[in-house]
Amino acid sequence: MTDSAQQTGGAAGSGADAPPYRYTAALAADIERRWQDRWEEQGTFRAPNPVGPLAPAPGSAEADRLTRPKKYVIDMFPYPSGAGLHVGHPLGYIATDCLTRFQRMAGFNVLHAMGFDAFGLPAEQYAVQTGQHPRKTTEENIDRYRGQMRRLGLAYDDRRSFATTDPEFVRWTQWIFLQIYNSWYDAEQHRARPIGELVEQFASGARPTPDGRPWAQLSETERAGVLDGHRLAYRSEAPVNWCPGLGTVLANEEVTPDGRSERGNFPVFRRDLAQWMMRITAYADRLLDDLDTLEWPEPVKMMQRNWIGRSHGARVAFDVAEHAESITVFTTRPDTLFGATYMVLAPEHDLVTAITPASWPADTPAAWTGGAADPATAVADYRRAAATKSELERQENKDKTGVFTGAYAINPVNGARIPIFIADYVLAGYGTGAIMAVPAHDHRDFAFARAYGLPMRCVVAPDDGRGDDPASWDDAFVSGTAAVVNSTGDGVSLDGLAVPEAKKRIADWLAAHGHGEATTTYKLRDWLFSRQRYWGEPFPVVYDEQGLAHPLPAEALPVELPEVDDFSPVTFDADDADSSPAPPLAKATDWVHVTLDLGDGPKRYRRETNTMPNWAGSCWYELRYLDPTNADAPVDPANEQYWMGPRDATDPGGVDLYVGGVEHAVLHLLYARFWHKVLHDLGYVDSAEPFRRLINQGYVQAYAYTDERGFYVPAEQVESTDDGYVYDGRPVEREYGKMGKSLKNVVTPDEMCDAYGADTFRVYEMSMGPLEASRPWETRAVVGSFRFLQRVWRSLVDEQTGQPRVADIAIDDDTRRLLHRTIDGVTTETAELRFNTAIAKLIELTNKLVQVSADGAPREIAEPLVLMVAPFAPHVAEQLWQLLGHDDSLAYQPFPVADPQWLTAPSVVYPVQVNGKVRGRIEVAPDAAADVVEAAALAEEKVAAALAGRTPRKVIVVPGRMVSVVL
RNA sequence: GCCCCGGUAGACCAACGGCAGAGUCAAUGGUCUCAAACACCAUCCAGUGUGGGUUCGAAUCCCACCCGGGGCACCA
């Protein structure tokens, strides 16, 4: 496992007697440094904007670029961690860089930029430990990232880079927050509108207030409360995910299914706390439906669909027998209402206590009571047991448990008395927290009914031959298409209807009789937007003495973080569910208490001390690249329209290509879509979606090795022997996974640049496989890409003198055909991001070039080869281009175009199959008619022998491909 | 349990339904070298996870199963 570069002291190709101009790591480093400097000096990759500070001077080269079609291609920007980049991180960056370099040459105006998602926990935790300000840590890390990226030759527009922590960026993040705060969702028009328009509706009486009083009679506090019920950003006292171990609350998306924090894996508790929320649920339908307009990987779309979790069904109200209460259930199968034989409430359901009677009804089966003497005890015991069960235990144990409440409900369609249970298989947080149980047609209800001896009633006729007696079934019969039976009651009959029609009829009946209505529920919940952290965007909000929130005016932005001595929130024992959040900003009392004039004279106010979650900046950064220096708006509409606007009526617009890891499938991508849609509704952006096309790059994974004690050993020092893997003379176990410090298997791009140069590293990463595929890192294989570039170099440059050895040497037709086939293939493959096959074709052409270049390289091959290599190995390509006699950078040289004349061969060899086996080959003209080919095939010696005089039943000629003879 | 993605040479990966190999690493032999490394030349290497089906013809399309990776998981 020792790699060759290390054996030679760190730099490949170097040797005491190497020719002075051999392409070695040292020469590559020299070339790379030189071209990186030149690109920077000349602003080579600056993309012109239509308007604003980045608009080109008339008549400049950039002005010409504006006339071309555009491409906007970015990667998910990184959080700059203290560890720097390892070889896995830049996979996507290199891919978009190769693509955009190609697109520039192919005639597009290309916007390619990179920034930093720089708020976040690690810098803050470091600050807590060391006292170093997170800004300082962050800036140091960003500098390091910038250095590493520059060294890879990534061609970004340097004017468009920023960090989300930059005060100018924070200013617009806060500004967008205020736009969201000052908006409401008009469910009739399906779009966000300014809150002022809602106020007008209330004031004019066009929209009644919640309690019917005229708007003018409401107090200021009451009005604020009403409006908070509509604002897209609002404060609410609601159950939130409180994580004592992190000292902050978390969004639902940041909590794992087993109830722990995604970061840190600490326990999370539900607590009622006043927090900022984002009304993302208002956009549930559009976030779901618009997925269809996006070119995204299907798994990502599916994860978002699952997360939004829309389901259509009905709410049905069941009266409780001998009670004034009624219980509303949500069901997706209202057509099976006649099959409901019991009801289940979540243990936490509000009405449980109210409906539980003092004693068990007569004839209550012992199994239903949980062994308790009375229902109240049974319910209390069960609730306690359910509460102490962890989410994980609930999941692992799928056996249905529950207990009878002693109460009965009345089925509205037939008046049947059905027992009401509580059971933890019904979740408090979904639907209404109550279900009607239809054991014959639901797997879960079936299992519960079997366990507790509850009756079943078949109301959908099985069409799989199992018969219509549920007692004889092994499981529920679930069908969305079969016919409904046994469903005639109080003025309604569903018998004979197929399930979809039955759903509709019963919904109409329920609505007409006041028992319910068709409805839609979602798993998606509003987005918790407060964090008790220091290193985040402050909210641009203050509170007056009554506690009413006041947004700050745009001129007051950005609200900057105060300097503090202590960056830590008060953290608690990770299991201390009773603790309460205390944000670090609350300690900055001079900052918190301010005197402001918000229009009615100077008054005392208190600042919001929570900060925004670190998703805020990434919700809109793709817009800021478009107009990074705009001081009047997040982005000028003309610039947004040019780079991201919809292409046609069906196109949502957005970034032309977005590359990043699948781990952001729900969180970042859902939040960013939400903000974008709000900005779209309010008229700030033309595009309806932020990211038109998305590709998830694979992971670069690596082997890690553990010794007999289970400790990781440095992977680079492990050797592979016939007896297995050995470290320091002792056998070690190999495992495969992520690259990371703790696994001691990190390889950095800097090491690869030292050993081979950035161009080699780029070519290697791109030739490892398709972008979407994960692949194992193998340092020793990098040398293959190095050899390729070395062959290109050696063919075109004299290793002794450094002079070009290119000449106007004639090439034969076969070579010329290979050249044009390569151009054709590389163009297609590169445009489609199939870089591995594009590079393979370039290697093939290079190998041919080596063969024909004994006395010098034919210019006819050399020039297009250099241009085609350029997207992948830009530095060496620039150097060669210059040696070929060109003064300008090749960044905007037209990509070679294949001549169709040389794409067809002078003759075609057809394999001839007889009964599926290849028996011979014939060579004919490429445009030979089918009957000519057939005649030639049948006449071929070996084919004729195989035929042995028999007449073929059938002869198939596939033009250009093959001949198949069937006997 | 359900849903995705993937199984092709020792490894990574190619192959519009048409001769399984474009390319890379490794291995083996050679050239160069005092020797090695680098470099170069040459050679070796699989019938495509398994079983069916469709077809003149299947790695490719269909069905079932096995293995690996990922996602969801009592969502009514």
Side-chain angles (χ1 to χ4, degrees):
Chain A
M1 280 284 138
T2 49
D3 84 271
S4 55
Q6 283 163 345
Q7 284 170 355
T8 58
S14 59
D17 52 355
Y21 292 94
R22 171 158 291 177
Y23 185 75
T24 59
L27 184 66
D30 183 52
I31 292 172
E32 287 165 11
R33 172 67 54 83
R34 204 129 36 88
W35 280 99
Q36 284 155 13
D37 289 346
R38 183 160 163 191
W39 292 329
E40 183 173 300
E41 282 158 24
Q42 303 195 341
T44 305
F45 305 113
R46 295 182 169 184
N49 268 358
V51 303
L54 303 191
S60 65
E62 289 191 16
D64 172 61
R65 271 175 232 157
L66 256 187
T67 64
R68 305 177 180 190
K70 63 86 194 179
K71 291 283 182 189
Y72 179 28
V73 178
I74 52 173
D75 296 84
M76 291 186 188
F77 65 167
Y79 174 81
S81 82
L85 296 172
H86 64 59
V87 292
H89 294 121
L91 184 68
Y93 307 159
I94 294 171
T96 54
D97 195 67
C98 294
L99 177 70
T100 50
R101 283 178 180 271
F102 167 78
Q103 287 170 332
R104 266 182 218 107
M105 298 173 78
F108 292 92
N109 184 27
V110 176
L111 175 46
H112 188 43
M114 178 60 82
F116 298 93
D117 188 18
F119 280 121
L121 221 40
E124 181 171 321
Q125 283 166 338
Y126 188 72
V128 170
Q129 287 160 18
T130 66
Q132 171 159 299
H133 197 285
R135 182 170 299 282
K136 186 164 190 300
T137 310
T138 303
E139 281 169 1
E140 287 171 4
N141 291 347
I142 288 175
D143 283 348
R144 175 144 178 230
Y145 269 59
R146 284 219 164 96
Q148 288 185 301
M149 289 176 175
R150 179 187 148 96
R151 203 174 170 194
L152 294 176
L154 301 175
Y156 301 126
D157 184 335
D158 53 340
R159 305 166 305 174
R160 298 177 189 259
S161 186
F162 52 78
T164 53
T165 48
D166 295 346
E168 267 308 286
F169 188 88
V170 168
R171 174 184 173 192
W172 293 109
T173 305
Q174 292 171 337
W175 182 89
I176 293 169
F177 173 85
L178 290 177
Q179 307 312 307
I180 298 171
Y181 175 77
N182 283 319
S183 304
W184 61 293
Y185 198 79
D186 185 332
E188 284 165 16
Q189 296 188 12
H190 304 289
R191 66 181 181 94
R193 298 173 63 185
I195 197 79
E197 296 177 18
L198 182 67
V199 173
E200 282 168 25
Q201 291 187 7
F202 281 126
S204 71
R207 177 183 290 260
T209 60
D211 62 6
R213 283 181 293 156
W215 184 249
Q217 286 181 20
L218 270 56
S219 72
E220 196 184 351
T221 310
E222 287 170 331
R223 288 182 191 176
V226 171
L227 293 181
D228 277 351
H230 291 268
R231 291 182 190 274
L232 291 179
Y234 62 99
R235 284 211 323 150
S236 117
E237 177 91 24
V240 298
N241 305 298
W242 164 235
C243 180
L246 289 173
T248 187
V249 296
L250 299 169
N252 292 337
E253 291 83 351
E254 294 170 306
V255 180
T256 59
D258 57 340
R260 300 180 81 88
S261 60
E262 187 167 65
R263 180 181 281 275
N265 198 35
F266 294 111
V268 171
F269 303 94
R270 300 293 286 177
R271 282 284 307 277
D272 279 343
L273 291 170
Q275 299 287 315
W276 282 98
M277 307 290 289
M278 288 269 168
R279 204 178 299 279
I280 192 172
T281 50
Y283 281 84
D285 281 322
R286 281 167 60 189
L287 289 170
L288 189 64
D289 296 339
D290 290 357
L291 286 173
D292 295 338
T293 66
L294 299 175
E295 282 177 65
W296 282 17
E298 204 48 47
V300 175
K301 289 189 184 186
M302 201 165 51
M303 280 187 254
Q304 294 216 348
R305 287 191 189 108
N306 285 342
W307 189 260
I308 295 167
R310 178 167 67 192
S311 68
H312 299 289
R315 270 198 249 284
V316 185
F318 284 64
D319 287 336
V320 180
E322 292 94 38
H323 246 280
E325 309 285 355
S326 81
I327 296 170
T328 301
V329 304
F330 173 73
T331 176
T332 57
R333 295 296 302 273
D335 55 298
T336 61
L337 191 46
F338 285 92
T341 54
Y342 65 103
M343 174 182 275
V344 185
L345 305 186
E348 302 87 350
H349 197 282
D350 287 340
L351 290 175
V352 173
T353 314
I355 62 169
T356 304
S359 58
W360 296 117
D363 306 327
T364 298
W368 294 12
T369 65
D374 59 84
T377 309
V379 164
D381 288 350
Y382 188 79
R383 284 179 135 181
R384 200 175 311 115
T388 53
K389 255 199 265 183
S390 73
E391 291 284 336
L392 204 62
E393 285 169 331
R394 274 202 187 193
Q395 275 174 42
E396 279 173 355
N397 188 0
K398 295 261 170 97
D399 290 343
K400 301 284 180 290
T401 62
V403 72
F404 181 39
T405 62
Y408 287 86
I410 306 298
N411 189 335
V413 286
N414 56 9
R417 273 170 71 93
I418 58 175
I420 303 174
F421 281 72
I422 58 172
D424 64 3
Y425 82 91
V426 172
L427 310 176
Y430 185 75
T432 62
I435 62 155
M436 63 175 206
V438 184
H441 306 292
D442 180 279
H443 299 297
R444 296 151 300 183
D445 297 342
F446 187 94
F448 188 84
R450 274 286 155 86
Y452 288 87
L454 287 154
M456 300 190 192
R457 191 174 143 87
C458 174
V459 294
V460 182
D463 51 12
D464 57 2
R466 62 166 76 195
D468 59 4
D469 179 11
S472 67
W473 298 353
D474 295 328
D475 198 359
F477 173 72
V478 180
S479 166
T481 51
V484 175
V485 294
N486 293 331
S487 296
T488 298
D490 200 5
V492 62
S493 175
L494 308 178
D495 290 341
L497 296 179
V499 167
E501 290 74 42
K503 282 183 180 175
K504 195 176 172 334
R505 182 173 298 179
I506 193 70
D508 291 345
W509 183 88
L510 287 168
H513 293 76
H515 295 303
E517 64 197 333
T519 186
T520 302
T521 65
Y522 303 87
K523 277 161 66 182
L524 182 69
R525 292 285 169 265
D526 277 344
W527 174 21
L528 176 76
F529 199 69
S530 306
R531 296 294 183 280
Q532 288 73 45
R533 315 289 339 174
Y534 174 79
W535 194 227
E537 298 89 345
F539 284 84
V541 170
V542 294
Y543 301 96
D544 64 22
E545 280 157 2
Q546 288 89 54
L548 290 181
H550 295 265
L552 293 171
E555 313 83 73
L557 306 184
V559 178
E560 297 198 58
L561 287 164
E563 294 303 320
V564 297
D565 298 326
D566 179 5
F567 299 101
S568 51
V570 181
T571 50
F572 302 89
D573 184 276
D575 296 310
D576 184 1
D578 297 327
S579 50
S580 286
L585 291 186
K587 301 173 194 166
T589 48
D590 290 351
W591 179 82
V592 171
H593 299 286
V594 286
T595 302
L596 296 169
D597 184 348
L598 295 179
D600 46 0
K603 286 189 179 173
R604 294 286 288 168
Y605 294 96
R606 180 172 49 83
R607 289 189 192 275
E608 169 64 65
T609 54
N610 286 306
T611 51
M612 299 186 197
N614 68 325
W615 307 106
S618 59
C619 275
W620 74 281
Y621 75 111
E622 76 284 354
L623 290 167
R624 192 60 178 173
Y625 288 137
L626 306 180
D627 213 353
T629 56
N630 192 324
D632 304 318
V635 54
D636 189 294
N639 288 330
E640 190 272 338
Q641 222 280 330
Y642 174 76
W643 290 110
M644 287 175 71
R647 296 165 182 159
D648 57 52
T650 60
D651 179 48
V655 176
D656 292 299
L657 177 64
Y658 194 41
V659 173
V662 70
E663 65 271 20
H664 294 112
V666 172
L667 294 154
H668 157 58
L669 288 171
L670 193 66
Y671 297 151
R673 292 180 65 215
F674 164 51
W675 276 38
H676 200 91
K677 286 183 181 301
V678 177
L679 292 173
H680 173 79
D681 288 354
L682 297 177
Y684 295 115
V685 298
D686 205 24
S687 44
E689 285 281 343
F691 312 112
R692 171 191 285 116
R693 183 177 178 209
L694 172 71
I695 292 181
N696 296 127
Q697 90 275 16
Y699 295 109
V700 173
Q701 294 179 297
Y703 293 108
Y705 303 86
T706 51
D707 62 19
E708 66 274 20
R709 299 166 304 167
F711 288 105
Y712 288 99
V713 302
E716 70 204 40
Q717 291 167 34
V718 171
E719 291 179 57
S720 174
T721 70
D722 291 341
D723 300 328
Y725 299 95
V726 174
Y727 168 71
D728 201 16
R730 295 214 298 279
V732 289
E733 293 287 318
R734 188 170 82 158
E735 54 184 70
Y736 181 57
K738 277 191 159 173
M739 195 171 273
K741 218 171 11 179
S742 58
L743 302 190
K744 293 193 181 167
N745 60 356
V746 171
V747 181
T748 66
D750 307 83
E751 293 170 57
M752 291 302 105
C753 289
D754 289 342
Y756 297 105
D759 282 331
T760 293
F761 176 64
R762 292 169 58 109
V763 170
Y764 176 64
E765 289 238 331
M766 292 302 98
S767 54
M768 286 162 86
L771 181 57
E772 294 90 335
S774 290
R775 69 279 323 252
W777 177 262
E778 195 179 8
T779 295
R780 67 175 180 179
V782 178
V783 70
S785 301
F786 182 65
R787 287 179 190 147
F788 160 54
L789 294 182
Q790 216 169 38
R791 284 199 297 278
V792 174
W793 177 268
R794 194 169 42 232
S795 302
L796 305 187
V797 180
D798 187 307
E799 291 189 317
Q800 295 300 333
T801 66
Q803 292 306 302
R805 50 191 301 282
V806 175
D808 292 319
I809 295 170
I811 58 175
D812 63 32
D813 285 354
D814 279 348
T815 306
R816 186 170 291 116
R817 278 188 204 99
L818 174 65
L819 170 66
H820 287 270
R821 251 197 345 264
T822 304
I823 294 172
D824 185 55
V826 169
T827 305
T828 324
E829 309 275 282
T830 307
E832 297 297 318
L833 292 114
R834 292 194 294 265
F835 302 131
N836 52 329
T837 49
I839 290 169
K841 290 182 197 314
L842 290 170
I843 292 172
E844 200 183 354
L845 180 64
T846 301
N847 292 346
K848 183 72 180 180
L849 176 65
V850 169
Q851 280 175 31
V852 301
S853 298
D855 305 319
R859 183 173 292 271
E860 189 180 345
I861 300 177
E863 296 218 337
L865 176 64
V866 167
L867 292 174
M868 287 191 285
V869 165
F872 308 103
H875 310 87
V876 69
E878 288 273 24
Q879 186 69 23
L880 290 169
W881 188 244
Q882 195 175 57
L883 282 167
L884 287 169
H886 304 279
D887 291 334
D888 289 340
S889 163
L890 51 61
Y892 293 92
Q893 279 295 315
F895 203 80
V897 176
D899 183 343
Q901 168 189 354
W902 296 101
L903 292 178
T904 52
S907 69
V908 182
V909 175
Y910 282 78
V912 183
Q913 288 183 352
V914 179
N915 278 355
K917 286 207 172 75
V918 177
R919 295 294 185 183
R921 287 164 216 289
I922 53 165
E923 186 169 352
V924 297
D927 54 354
D931 54 342
V932 176
V933 177
E934 179 176 335
L938 295 176
E940 204 273 340
E941 196 181 343
K942 296 199 192 80
V943 174
L947 287 176
R950 289 171 289 182
T951 308
R953 272 203 297 143
K954 199 168 170 187
V955 178
I956 297 151
V957 177
V958 185
R961 286 287 173 190
M962 63 141 35
V963 182
S964 185
V965 181
V966 188
L967 284 177

